[in-house]
Amino acid sequence: MRDQRVVIVGGSSGMGLRVARSVVASGGQVVIGGRDPERLAQAAATLGERAQARRIDSSDKASIAAFFEGIGRFDHLFTPGSSQSSGRIDEIDDDTAESPFRSKFWGQYYAVKHALPHLAKTGSIVLMSGAYSQRPLAGSATYVACNSAIEGLARALAVELAPIRVNAISPGTIDTELWQTRLRHKREQAHAHYAAMAALGRVGTVDEAADAVLFLMRNTYTTGSTLFTDGGYTLR
Ligand SMILES: NC(=O)c1ccc[n+]([C@@H]2O[C@H](COP(=O)([O-])OP(=O)(O)OC[C@H]3O[C@@H](n4cnc5c(N)ncnc54)[C@H](OP(=O)(O)O)[C@@H]3O)[C@@H](O)[C@H]2O)c1
C-alpha cells in the first residue's frame, strides 16, 4: 500500500483501525472517520503523521457530504462505520427496524457517491456487509436484508463504476471492540454459539478480517466479489 491514500469511514476502532495500521505500516496514508472526536484523535495519534481524522456520522447524509468535502484525491475507500439495532419483526419499533438501512446501507451508498469525485480511477471501494446475509439468525431480519442489499450494491456498482473496483467483505463474528460493548456472559454465549456453527469452530480475529480487506484493495482483477471471511459459517 506504499504511497496509496486510503479513506476509512469507521477507522477509529476494530477492523477499520486495523486496516489503517497496515496501510500506514506499509508506507501509505489514511484518513479515518468516526463519530466520537476523542476516540478519533486517540486513534490518529497512535497511527502517526501519515494519518488524518475527520468526524462523520454515517446515519446523517449532510455529515457524509461534509466529510468528503475537500478531502483530496485518494485511492481506496473502506466503509465499516455504521450503528444499528435489530430485533424480531413483531417486537421492535419502526425506528429500530429501519436503523440498519439508514446507517449501514444508505450510509455506504452516500459515502460512495460523495467519494467518487475524489477517488482515483485505478482505485477501489470495499463495502462492509456481514455473513448473516446468507445464513440469517432469527431476530435480525432487517439487518440480514441490509447485508444482502449491500452485497447486491457492490455487484451493481462494480459494473457501473468500472474501472474503479467495488467489492464487499462479509465477515462472520469477528472479535472486535464492537463486542466489548456487550455484557461479558452475553458475548461469550454469542461467540460460543457462532463457533459451534462455523466449520473452523471459532470466531475470527481482527487481523484475519483486515487482511481480507487489504486483499480486496490490492488485487487488481477482483471486482463485484463478496469475500466471506467467516470461518465457514455460510457453508453449513
Ligand atoms: N464484529 C463483527 O462480528 C462483525 C461481523 C459482521 C459484520 N460486522 C460489521 O462491521 C462493522 C463494525 O466494525 P467493527 O466490528 O470493527 O466495530 P467497531 O470496533 O465497533 O468499530 C466501528 C467503527 O465505526 C465507527 N462508527 C460506528 N457507528 C458509526 C456511524 N454511525 N458513523 C460513522 N462511524 C461510525 C466507530 O467509531 P464511533 O463509534 O466513534 O463512531 C468505529 O470507528 C459494522 O458495519 C458491522 O455490521 C461486524
Side-chain angles (χ1 to χ4, degrees):
M1 302 301 288
R2 189 168 192 81
D3 299 328
Q4 300 286 289
R5 189 161 185 253
V6 180
V7 173
I8 305 173
V9 175
S12 60
S13 168
M15 294 179 252
L17 180 56
R18 196 59 60 94
V19 169
R21 279 198 208 300
S22 294
V23 170
V24 164
S26 59
Q29 294 176 30
V30 292
V31 180
I32 56 169
R35 292 166 303 173
D36 180 346
E38 213 170 292
R39 203 179 186 194
L40 267 178
Q42 274 173 11
T46 66
L47 290 167
E49 60 187 17
R50 285 204 294 272
Q52 284 172 24
R54 291 165 87 105
R55 236 203 123 258
I56 180 170
D57 181 349
S58 64
S59 312
D60 174 359
K61 257 202 242 188
S63 167
I64 299 170
F67 175 86
F68 286 99
E69 184 82 42
I71 199 165
R73 186 188 173 284
F74 61 91
D75 301 287
H76 304 278
L77 174 69
F78 176 43
T79 49
S82 70
S83 38
Q84 59 269 319
S85 308
S86 56
R88 291 184 54 90
I89 191 169
D90 49 0
E91 288 174 1
I92 54 172
D93 59 37
D94 294 353
D95 200 50
T96 305
E98 290 169 15
S99 65
F101 274 89
R102 199 165 44 242
S103 184
K104 194 169 174 176
F105 181 84
W106 290 114
Q108 295 193 86
Y109 175 92
Y110 286 111
V112 171
K113 178 180 166 123
H114 292 289
L116 278 178
H118 314 283
L119 188 59
K121 290 276 182 272
T122 51
S124 80
I125 297 165
V126 182
L127 301 179
M128 173 57 81
S129 180
Y132 289 166
S133 62
Q134 306 298 315
R135 189 181 176 193
L137 271 195
S140 52
T142 57
Y143 180 68
V144 166
C146 169
N147 285 323
S148 300
I150 289 160
E151 291 166 16
L153 182 67
R155 287 191 293 274
L157 290 179
V159 172
E160 197 163 297
L161 300 182
I164 294 171
R165 293 176 298 103
V166 186
N167 295 289
I169 177 176
S170 200
T173 295
I174 305 293
D175 193 13
T176 66
E177 286 90 330
L178 183 74
W179 286 97
Q180 302 305 322
T181 59
R182 309 274 168 90
L183 291 172
R184 190 171 166 185
H185 75 279
K186 295 239 179 206
R187 180 173 73 239
E188 287 175 354
Q189 203 176 39
H191 283 191
H193 186 60
Y194 185 87
M197 291 192 292
L200 295 184
R202 63 176 176 85
V203 302
T205 67
V206 183
D207 277 340
E208 288 168 328
D211 197 43
V213 174
L214 289 159
F215 166 79
L216 293 173
M217 288 180 185
R218 281 193 296 243
N219 189 282
T220 48
Y221 202 52
T222 302
T223 193
S225 288
T226 296
L227 183 49
F228 289 93
T229 311
D230 68 350
Y233 171 80
T234 46
L235 295 175
R236 292 196 160 185

